[in-house]
Amino acid sequence: MNYLSLKQIEKYHKDGFLIVRNVFTRKECNELKEVLIEEINKGKNILKKSLDAPEEKINKNKIADIPRGVNEGYLQDIAHRSSKFMSLAKDSRLINIIGQIFGNNSKAYYLYRSTSIFKNSDISSKTFWHQDMTYWKGKPNKLTIWISLNKANKQNGSPHYIPGSQNKSYKHAIKGDGKIPLLEAQDINESQKVIIEVEMGDIIIHGPYVLHGSEENISGEQRYAVIFTYQPTTDTSHHRSGLPELIEKKI
């Protein structure tokens, strides 16, 4: 069974992103969310202990090291922290979808990156406009799948995109004391912004160059999502040190 029609694949390449409805069931999402919350609480404890012990150093390149962003709404390397999420990354439904996007030339893939993002009454800030490839290694032959574990809408911080922006070059600059290059605001046409609203079990696929971010959570509700980024095995780059995880194509 193919999950995507030719029309959907064409739309993905035209817009730089695509919504696919009802990929996962409510039961699956509730079970995944329960495991994710456990991992988040575990991560907060690990981070607290590391801050209480100065000898504990955070290695940004080590896979599943101290989760430095967990208090800001990020839990990086979720697939390497939980076998449940590694199994999810290798789920046949996702592999079928990325296979349709990448085409038949790729017989296997690498998991370049995995993470989870969450918003609640304490973590509500919006995500600034960005292009993923600005911060990544390797080739721009990557594809990201954003899995919604509950309903996401404008009020609780849903993602937003600018269709077709993957075809334009945007200026980045280091601002303030930060070391992260940010997009120049004047280069972004906010009138073209499309706010994506999805239900539990829907997914969003997007490429490495499409402009995207997320809305502020003004609802106080919790919003959980898991994100996997894949690439063909012709690219051996990894978001961390070491080799990326092999994802074999299931026949």
Side-chain angles (χ1 to χ4, degrees), residues 67-190:
R68 62 191 182 280
V70 70
N71 290 329
E72 286 77 48
Y74 298 89
L75 183 57
Q76 75 272 23
D77 307 326
I78 186 61
H80 288 84
R81 297 180 188 276
S82 165
S83 59
K84 183 81 172 177
F85 286 100
M86 184 60 80
S87 295
L88 179 65
K90 299 179 180 182
D91 188 280
S92 60
R93 288 164 288 188
L94 299 184
I95 304 311
N96 178 285
I97 288 169
I98 66 174
Q100 287 190 264
I101 296 290
F102 282 134
N104 294 325
N105 291 334
S106 298
K107 302 301 180 184
Y109 313 98
Y110 281 132
L111 179 64
Y112 173 77
R113 173 178 178 261
S114 72
T115 190
S116 62
I117 54 174
F118 50 95
K119 298 188 181 188
N120 52 38
S121 56
D122 297 321
I123 303 168
S124 60
S125 59
K126 64 181 180 180
T127 303
F128 58 84
W129 285 111
H130 65 285
Q131 293 172 300
D132 289 333
M133 203 61 213
T134 304
Y135 315 101
W136 288 355
K137 306 169 187 175
K139 302 172 185 176
N141 55 354
K142 295 171 173 55
L143 183 151
T144 293
I145 295 184
W146 194 97
I147 305 169
S148 185
L149 298 185
N150 53 273
K151 184 174 183 177
N153 53 36
K154 183 178 180 180
Q155 286 69 40
N156 70 3
S158 63
H160 52 235
Y161 294 84
I162 292 186
S165 55
Q166 74 277 12
N167 299 315
K168 182 180 176 181
S169 177
Y170 293 87
K171 294 179 182 178
H172 292 72
I174 304 293
K175 300 182 181 180
D177 296 328
K179 295 182 180 180
I180 300 176
L182 301 177
L183 285 167
E184 297 284 357
Q186 64 267 26
D187 287 343
I188 302 170
N189 187 348
E190 290 273 352

Side-chain angles (χ1 to χ4, degrees), residues 36-50 65-71 74-75 81:
L36 178 56
I37 291 171
E38 289 177 3
E39 291 297 328
I40 290 169
N41 290 333
K42 190 187 301 181
K44 288 180 178 179
N45 289 331
I46 293 171
L47 180 60
K48 184 178 184 302
K49 288 179 181 178
S50 75
D65 197 53
I66 296 168
R68 62 191 182 280
V70 70
N71 290 329
Y74 298 89
L75 183 57
R81 297 180 188 276

Side-chain angles (χ1 to χ4, degrees), residues 117 144-148 152 159 198 202-205 223 225-227:
I117 54 174
T144 293
I145 295 184
W146 194 97
I147 305 169
S148 185
V198 291
D202 293 345
I203 70 171
I204 306 169
I205 311 168
R223 192 219 71 183
V226 179
I227 303 173

Side-chain angles (χ1 to χ4, degrees), residues 3 12 27 39 62 110 164 195 198:
Y3 278 83
Y12 166 78
K27 182 176 183 293
E39 291 297 328
K62 181 182 177 183
Y110 281 132
I195 297 173
V198 291

